[in-house]
Amino acid sequence: MSRKFAKVAKTKKGVPKKYLTGAKNKKAREKEILDTREKYKRGEYINIKKVSESRAKQAKRKRKRKS
């Protein structure tokens, strides 16, 4: 018997909405996730360091509080 996973909210293109939270540009992040997914499925090389850096760049920055 296989394990059942809970249903999650997804975008029209099938990316879980949770993956897009905190992004400056949600469409750009979604496109990058879908491109990486396709490359993985085709067995192409994925530069993990580059992907990680681009996702970190897309994140919103937290403001420093003045004390």
Side-chain angles (χ1 to χ4, degrees), residues 38-55:
E38 286 302 312
K39 284 182 180 179
Y40 181 82
K41 282 184 180 178
R42 283 187 257 134
E44 293 180 16
Y45 173 73
I46 300 168
N47 188 346
I48 302 296
K49 191 173 183 180
K50 192 174 181 181
V51 170
S52 178
E53 287 173 2
S54 77
R55 290 186 186 181

Side-chain angles (χ1 to χ4, degrees), residues 1-57:
M1 185 179 233
S2 63
R3 181 169 176 215
K4 302 285 183 183
F5 291 97
K7 300 279 183 183
V8 294
K10 295 184 179 179
T11 62
K12 289 181 181 179
K13 293 183 180 180
V15 176
K17 288 183 179 180
K18 191 82 170 182
Y19 293 0
L20 306 176
T21 55
K24 290 179 195 171
N25 186 345
K26 292 186 188 324
K27 284 188 178 181
R29 167 135 341 143
E30 184 176 29
K31 185 180 183 309
E32 187 269 321
I33 289 170
L34 292 171
D35 290 344
T36 305
R37 180 198 297 179
E38 286 302 312
K39 284 182 180 179
Y40 181 82
K41 282 184 180 178
R42 283 187 257 134
E44 293 180 16
Y45 173 73
I46 300 168
N47 188 346
I48 302 296
K49 191 173 183 180
K50 192 174 181 181
V51 170
S52 178
E53 287 173 2
S54 77
R55 290 186 186 181
K57 261 187 194 175

